[in-house]
Each structure stands twice: as C-alpha cells, then as structure tokens.
Amino acid sequence: MADDKIKSLLSEDRHYAPPRHGKDIARIRSRHEYDALCELARTDNDSFWAERARGLLHWFKPWEKVQNCDFNVPRVEWFTGAHLNASYNCVDRHIITDRRNKAALIWQGEREMEVRCYTYQMLYTDVCRVAAALNALQIKKGDRVALYMPMVPELAVAMLACARIGAVHMNIFTGYADGGVLSRIQDSGARVVITADAVMRGGEPKPLKANLDRILGQCPSVEKVLVVNRANIEVNMLKGRDIWWQDLLDDFTLDADFPCVSMEANDPLFILHTSGSTGRPTGVVHSTGGYLTYAAHTTQWVFDVKDTDVHWCTADCGWITGHTYMIYGPLSLGATTIMFEGTPTWPRPDRFWRIVEKFRVNMLYTAPTVVRSLMRQGVEWTNHYDLSSLRILGSVGEPMNPEAWMWYHTYIGKGQLPIVDTWWQTETGGVMLSPLPYASHITPGSVTKPLPGIEACIMNTDGKEEEAESGGNLVIKKPWPGLMKGVHNNPEKFKSYFSTFKNCYLSGDGAKVDDKGNFWILGRMDDAINVSGHRISTAEIESVLVSHPAVGEAGVVPIPHEIKGEAIYAYVALQDNIEWTEDLRKELRNHVRSQIGALASPEQIQFVDELPKTLSGKILRRLLRKIASGDLLENLGDITTLARPDVLPVIITDRSRLAAGQPEKLIPKT
Ligand code: WTA
C-alpha cells in the first residue's frame, strides 16, 4: 500500500523532535517543562489538580476537599462540595467576554453547501430554549435523557441543555440498531428520547425514528420522544408521546434566559455505554466537576488549543471522543469547534481536506482507520487543498501503524506537524498517555508517555511492575479527575476495574514500555474487539448470534484488517439438523446488523460442527483467534486442555476454504 517515499522513511528508526515554529507560545514548551510538571503532580497531587480546576473552570462554590478517592472501596470523588454547571462553563461565561460573537460551533452538513454556524451568543439562546422545553416536560436534575441523534447542531444543543438543567444525557451512536438501542435505553431508564427522522448517509436519508418505534414498547420509562426534522421524511408520530422538536421550541421563543442548575461536582453529567467483556453494555458515569476539569485540561495541554484556534475532532458524539474533544473540551475553553455530519469519502475522498481548507482548521483529531482509508484512496485527493492552517494532528481509538503515521505526517503534516497519538478510554474521560505537541520526542507507533499527574505502569499477572520491554497489563496507579465515578446500575462491574491489582485501575489493554520510558499499546487483553476504533464486545455479538433459532453456539474473535484495524470473525455451531447454507450465513449477518448495528456485522461467519472447548466446557477463543488469523495446527500452542482436539483440523481446513471463497466442507456427522 505504501508508496516509495513512505517505504524509505519506514526503513529508518525515526524519532521526531517537537517543531520549533509555534513553540515559544505553546503551553508546554520543552521536555524540561514536562518533567517539572510531572514532578509537581507527584509531590503535591491535590494542589496540582486544584490549580488546574481553578484556572480552567468557573465554580459557583469552591470545594471542601480536592479529592476523596479510594480504589479499594472503590470510591471516586473529586472537588467534593464544589458547585458548578457544565453548560455555564461551555456557554454562559463566554458571552460576557469578547467571545460573545465568536463562532462556537461550525457545522458542516453532509452536503457541501449545508453549513450552519453558531456564535456563543446563538448557542446560549438555543441551549436556553431547549432547557426551558425540557423543563416544561418536567425533566429534572438527575433524570436521564437519551440522545439518539445524527451529527447535527441540535445534538450539541441537547447535550448542553441537559447539562444546564442537571439532566443526565446518554448518547446512543446512530449506527446501533434495535438491540443496542434497546439495552441502552432500558439500562438508563431514560424519561425522554431525543432523535431525528433520519440520518443522512451518502445523500440518502436513513430512517432513525423508525428504529425507535420498533422498540419503545419495551421501554416503559420513556414518556416523550422529541423528533428533529433533519431529512423531511415521513415518520409515525404517536399522539401524546412524540413531539416535533421545532414545535416544542416554538413555544419558548420569547423568554431567552433559562437559569443553570447548580450541580455538586460529583453529580453525574452523562452516562455513556461502552462494551465490556460481558454481553451487557457498561454504562460509564462521568461526574460534572472532575470530568469537565479533565476535558478542559487535556484539550488545552494535548492540543495546545488557543483562543483563536479552530478545533476539529472528527469523532461522532455517540462516542466518548465526541463528548470530550468536540463538545466539552473545546467549548469550555471558548475555542471554535467543528462538527461534520458526513463521512470522509462521500461524495469524494477529498472531504476532509476541503473542510480543513474551508474553515482554516488548526487541529485535526481523527482515527487511524480514517487515515488508512484515506491513504488507500491516494494522496492526489489532498493535492488541491491548502492545508497550511493545520498546526497539530491527532489520533485516537486504536494503534496507529507506522505506515499510516508516516503518511499522516508526510502528506497532511507536510513533514512538519506534531502528531499526538493519544491513548485513553470511555472510562478515563480524557487522554491519559500522549505526546505533548511542543515538548515530546515522538516515535511513530508509540503513545509516548503519561500526561503529568497520570501514573501508569505495566503489571504482570502477579501484580508486579514489569521491567522495560516486557509486555503486560496497562494500569493506572493514582486517581485523576477524568476517571468515571461509577457504572450505572452495576456496582460489581465498577469494582471489577479495581479488583485485579491492589490500588490500581485496570485498563484492560496490554502495553509495554521501552527503555526510554515510551509506552506502546498492544491491544485489548479482554474480549473486546476494536473495529475502526469502536469497541465492541465479543460476548454481545455471541449472545445475539445465539438468540437466532438456528444457532446452538457461537464464538467470536477479532482478525487483523487492513483498514479497520480489526474485524469480526464468528464461528457458529448450528442446532442439530439445520443445514449450512449461504442464505443462512447472510441471515445471521443481517441478524447481527439489525440487533446491534452495522458496525458489529461479522466480516466472516464460519459454520463449525463443534467449537473447541475445554473439558469444563469453556470455549477456547485463544485458539479460534489464531485459526481465524490463518495459523495452522502446529502454531496453536498448547491444545492439551481441549476436550475434543479432533475438531481443530476441520475448522482449520474450512477456514482456508472460506478464505479462498469456497464454502466449508460438509463432514457427515458421526
Ligand atoms: C483503544 C476511545 C491504541 C484501547 C477513546 C482502549 C487505543 C480502547 C488508542 C478504548 C491508541 C484508544 N492506541 N489503542 N492511541 N486509543 N485505544 O472506550 O484498546 O471507545 O482500551 O475510547 O481503544 O476505546 P473507547
């Protein structure tokens, strides 16, 4: 895939010094300053975070205690007793300054000519109107509001309006279909769902409200559904329950101010579900004070965002990256944030570069899968665009392979710009390990070092810290303000993050540290798959497959994928007397699509007579994973724990048959 230029760069062992240009006005300007900040945070952790919180946010009332955390309980509490409001910090306080008429949010629709721009003042007016509307629906502090919305400005407004009245928003990615949406709404107990008639994809509306109609009968908590008209398509509106967003808002045009509810720092700001190692999604709860401090703090240090900057995070607000680096981080700092409704390749693969030029974007924060797919389209697509406004490039969600890193650096960064490869998780609230753009020496493929205040290390299974160069569990040894404060409805799950190693947060990722102290992320240690930077649990896909009447058992594993990073490979053992047919294969794939969403659709489904299991009946996914990636019997390692080793050669042969485009070989049942 790589062109010659990239190939020759890859053959060198490269380290990149921070750029000189822009350094003098950067927040953190040298390795020396970074070291000093780490030392400060180490010696007086509370003062370090207190100073950041005080400097970055507006607090209605100061805290009594900076932190009250104990991983052994576990208890996560930051800025105890303090009061603030996230909407106030992201909107109100800017309209009493020169930022009043500055662009807060620039929205680029899927169609090039569709652009909407909100100044801070305009954002204020709309957030107040929606807050008033939600209030009129009797939504109060602590109530949950589900946002199943496309990437339209109304989504940002809805998030901030919830924050304003103290309601807890719970965003659901629009790529999820019935099952994924249902489990999230049920788990959150949302009283209101905000949605749209459709999302735009490739110029066509894809119905969204209709997905809800199929499941709302099973969601007794939902009283009202607000529907944004995005695509002008016909939708069913249930009398008494469904309300057009615009109709509701029209009632609140006159009284523009709606006061912010004063929130205690540990009151929840939002719930966001992520995939854990079980079939049930994990409802990560983030607090108001700790989360917002950490969002602002990391946006300012990792992206070096200044008042004049235009920050573009390309993630969807259905994921944590959209929450922290499109909404809460940039807006709390008073920057300009870009929201893009479309995809990088429609109608042509120049979409990103067009947007960079059009809005003079300074920070571009995207995912390796996007870089890989654009790299594949060819560098010609960048040629006619002026990318010179870019100052910092970022990456998140999965390991950035050196080839993609070099392409990003060479063609988008013109060999000049720092790339911040940021490692973090839904649970961590914001970036944990990352280069600082003007202070770090970067080696492509490494996420460099923990940010000041973050104490990370690699632990082996015995709970001992690993030496340099050995891989193990990536753990965090000290609390930080962005850490989730709990798991909604599931205290046991919350405990599980802290129960493996004493006094440590377990990330679930494997990593190693090299002799220079740089971290290299090796991927998930649990049963989660990372498809295009989206975390999906294998257990969730397995349980959906097994819910199909034809399926007896299923084993789901990741396989490497050139663009997506990882893809999903499913082994399925059918019920007795059910035939292996291509139609059924298709049907199962559609079943997963309709239950979870297209992002969970298996790349390949292989029928097997029986899954490899231990004597105690546990499916050996380790073996399935190796086989799916093309390993042969001799490379499978220890197979002595298998109840029936004879199933393996058949599975291996069938895997190669499928890879060559032929169906599995039917073996008469014994
Ligand atoms: C993976 C996304 C390698 C990792 C912010 C983590 C990464 C999971 C990186 C979290 C990176 C995230 N390099 N892997 N720079 N960033 N990951 O919760 O496996 O959607 O545990 O949060 O993505 O995914 P999540």
Side-chain angles (χ1 to χ4, degrees):
M1 194 199 285
D3 61 23
D4 289 343
K5 187 167 171 190
I6 297 283
K7 270 193 195 137
S8 74
L9 288 171
L10 280 171
S11 60
E12 300 169 33
D13 179 20
R14 287 210 159 215
H15 304 281
Y16 293 86
R20 284 211 194 92
H21 186 67
K23 200 172 179 147
D24 41 340
I25 51 162
R27 292 268 164 198
I28 301 167
R29 283 168 294 193
S30 64
R31 174 69 195 263
H32 177 71
E33 282 185 22
Y34 164 82
D35 287 340
L37 287 165
C38 290
E39 189 50 32
L40 190 71
R42 210 169 288 132
T43 47
D44 192 351
N45 198 247
D46 280 9
S47 304
F48 174 81
W49 289 118
E51 195 184 316
R52 291 303 283 157
R54 219 177 283 121
L56 288 163
L57 300 183
H58 178 88
W59 301 82
F60 297 144
K61 184 173 162 239
W63 45 86
E64 286 140 26
K65 216 169 169 187
V66 174
Q67 59 166 306
N68 184 22
C69 301
D70 185 345
F71 281 173
N72 289 320
V73 178
R75 182 182 60 235
V76 177
E77 246 184 62
W78 280 89
F79 311 115
T80 313
H83 278 221
L84 78 163
N85 182 287
S87 183
Y88 185 92
N89 274 286
C90 291
V91 187
D92 299 42
R93 65 174 170 146
H94 305 310
I95 64 172
I96 47 175
T97 70
D98 288 349
R99 293 185 183 127
R100 183 160 59 103
N101 286 323
K102 170 181 180 179
L105 177 78
I106 299 175
W107 177 74
Q108 170 66 63
E110 202 198 38
R111 279 196 299 131
E112 189 63 42
M113 297 313 286
E114 274 190 299
V115 173
R116 281 158 70 188
C117 178
Y118 283 70
T119 64
Y120 275 99
Q121 181 72 52
M122 291 159 78
L123 194 58
Y124 172 79
T125 308
D126 268 30
V127 169
C128 282
R129 289 174 70 200
V130 177
L134 289 172
N135 182 62
L137 296 177
Q138 309 291 324
I139 298 300
K140 297 264 169 306
K141 179 177 168 183
D143 286 341
R144 269 85 60 205
V145 175
L147 308 179
Y148 183 46
M149 297 173 78
M151 291 289 283
V152 289
E154 287 84 350
L155 172 53
V157 170
M159 289 165 75
L160 294 165
C162 286
R164 192 168 194 88
I165 62 171
V168 180
H169 61 75
M170 194 255 318
N171 296 19
I172 307 173
F173 179 53
T174 50
Y176 283 116
D178 303 17
V181 182
L182 178 67
S183 59
R184 283 163 174 79
I185 294 181
Q186 284 179 336
D187 182 56
S188 71
R191 291 184 58 202
V192 169
V193 183
I194 309 182
T195 188
D197 52 350
V199 302
M200 296 304 296
R201 274 295 162 263
E204 297 295 328
K206 243 182 82 196
L208 203 58
K209 166 70 165 54
N211 297 347
L212 279 175
D213 291 338
R214 286 195 298 273
I215 56 165
L216 282 181
Q218 299 165 66
C219 304
S221 65
V222 176
E223 297 159 27
K224 298 283 176 205
V225 178
L226 296 187
V227 188
V228 173
N229 181 356
R230 166 66 191 114
N232 245 339
I233 64 166
E234 208 167 300
V235 289
N236 286 324
M237 298 292 280
L238 187 70
K239 216 166 172 257
R241 186 194 67 188
D242 301 350
I243 312 168
W244 286 106
W245 163 282
Q246 203 54 49
D247 288 350
L248 184 67
L249 259 59
D250 278 349
D251 294 341
F252 298 95
T253 43
L254 293 178
D255 197 0
D257 296 318
F258 193 87
C260 291
V261 170
S262 183
M263 305 287 284
E264 203 274 338
N266 293 286
D267 285 334
L269 177 62
F270 64 85
I271 300 174
L272 184 63
H273 290 83
T274 182
S275 298
S277 47
T278 62
R280 180 172 160 196
T282 304
V284 169
V285 182
H286 278 292
S287 67
T288 308
Y291 169 81
L292 199 65
T293 299
Y294 202 67
H297 159 74
T298 48
T299 307
Q300 194 187 56
W301 280 10
V302 175
F303 298 99
D304 197 55
V305 169
K306 306 252 174 40
D307 224 310
T308 46
D309 281 324
V310 177
H311 181 84
W312 183 21
C313 162
T314 71
D316 191 286
C317 282
W319 309 106
I320 189 70
T321 310
H323 285 65
T324 309
Y325 298 109
M326 185 187 311
I327 307 295
Y328 288 112
L331 294 181
S332 62
L333 295 181
T336 299
T337 191
I338 302 244
M339 177 189 262
F340 175 43
E341 184 188 33
T343 52
T345 50
W346 192 88
R348 293 188 321 188
D350 61 351
R351 215 52 212 289
F352 268 29
W353 320 127
R354 215 173 240 282
I355 294 173
V356 168
E357 179 179 286
K358 186 169 169 181
F359 300 113
R360 313 288 302 147
V361 170
N362 303 110
M363 285 91 208
L364 174 65
Y365 190 31
T366 193
T369 184
V370 174
V371 175
R372 286 193 293 266
S373 83
L374 292 174
M375 167 165 108
R376 189 176 233 200
Q377 302 283 343
V379 71
E380 320 65 273
W381 291 105
T382 65
N383 283 350
H384 305 294
Y385 297 99
D386 177 4
L387 306 180
S388 62
S389 59
L390 288 172
R391 188 157 72 80
I392 288 166
L393 304 177
S395 167
V396 61
E398 46 177 324
M400 180 88 156
N401 50 312
E403 195 181 354
W405 196 101
M406 288 311 308
W407 188 86
Y408 202 23
H409 176 77
T410 309
Y411 295 115
I412 311 307
K414 310 293 179 200
Q416 308 282 323
L417 303 185
I419 298 181
V420 288
D421 182 352
T422 61
W423 176 87
W424 59 294
Q425 308 177 295
T426 306
E427 295 88 336
T428 71
V431 174
M432 302 291 283
L433 309 181
S434 164
L436 291 172
Y438 295 97
S440 304
H441 285 250
I442 300 174
T443 308
S446 160
V447 293
T448 325
K449 295 191 166 58
L451 297 182
I454 302 302
E455 304 260 326
C457 76
I458 309 299
M459 270 189 188
N460 63 25
T461 31
D462 302 332
K464 294 215 179 66
E465 272 191 42
E466 286 286 4
E467 305 283 310
E469 298 299 347
S470 337
N473 295 283
L474 174 58
V475 306
I476 314 291
K477 296 192 288 183
K478 227 186 213 171
W480 68 99
L483 175 58
M484 63 177 159
K485 71 160 282 98
V487 174
H488 188 67
N489 275 343
N490 199 343
E492 287 311 309
K493 175 71 200 183
F494 184 53
K495 268 190 198 154
S496 72
Y497 288 93
F498 307 96
S499 55
T500 312
F501 301 117
K502 199 171 159 48
N503 260 324
C504 288
Y505 163 82
L506 180 71
S507 71
D509 276 2
K512 68 168 196 172
V513 184
D514 66 19
D515 54 2
K516 297 188 189 69
N518 286 324
F519 285 68
W520 299 74
I521 306 296
L522 304 172
R524 300 287 306 173
M525 308 273 275
D526 61 13
D527 288 336
I529 297 185
N530 193 332
V531 183
S532 301
H534 301 151
R535 240 162 98 185
I536 306 168
S537 114
T538 54
E540 195 176 349
I541 305 168
E542 284 170 9
S543 70
V544 165
L545 282 168
V546 174
S547 73
H548 189 282
V551 175
E553 275 188 313
V556 169
V557 294
I559 46 166
H561 187 282
E562 212 177 336
I563 305 284
K564 301 179 193 168
E566 283 182 345
I568 296 163
Y569 197 101
Y571 297 88
V572 169
L574 296 176
Q575 301 280 12
D576 283 349
N577 306 322
I578 301 230
E579 236 183 288
W580 300 0
T581 63
E582 288 312 310
D583 281 348
L584 181 57
R585 208 192 307 273
K586 238 185 246 152
E587 191 178 317
L588 291 178
R589 193 170 281 140
N590 283 336
H591 181 60
V592 177
R593 256 173 191 273
S594 71
Q595 290 297 307
I596 310 181
L599 74 168
S601 176
E603 194 78 8
Q604 183 61 275
I605 294 179
Q606 176 175 346
F607 293 123
V608 296
D609 206 19
E610 199 178 313
L611 291 165
K613 288 192 205 150
T614 60
L615 285 166
S616 59
K618 201 166 152 7
I619 298 173
L620 278 166
R621 290 187 183 71
R622 177 179 60 82
L623 298 183
L624 289 176
R625 191 174 178 149
K626 287 191 149 194
I627 296 171
S629 305
D631 273 340
L632 299 177
L633 200 56
E634 53 273 27
N635 303 326
L636 295 186
D638 180 21
I639 53 167
T640 51
T641 50
L642 269 185
R644 272 189 56 192
D646 57 311
V647 301
L648 288 181
V650 188
I651 298 179
I652 291 169
T653 317
D654 279 350
R655 203 247 21 143
S656 357
R657 287 179 65 90
L658 280 174
Q662 296 157 2
E664 300 86 342
K665 200 170 179 181
L666 268 181
I667 308 217
K669 286 204 170 158
T670 45

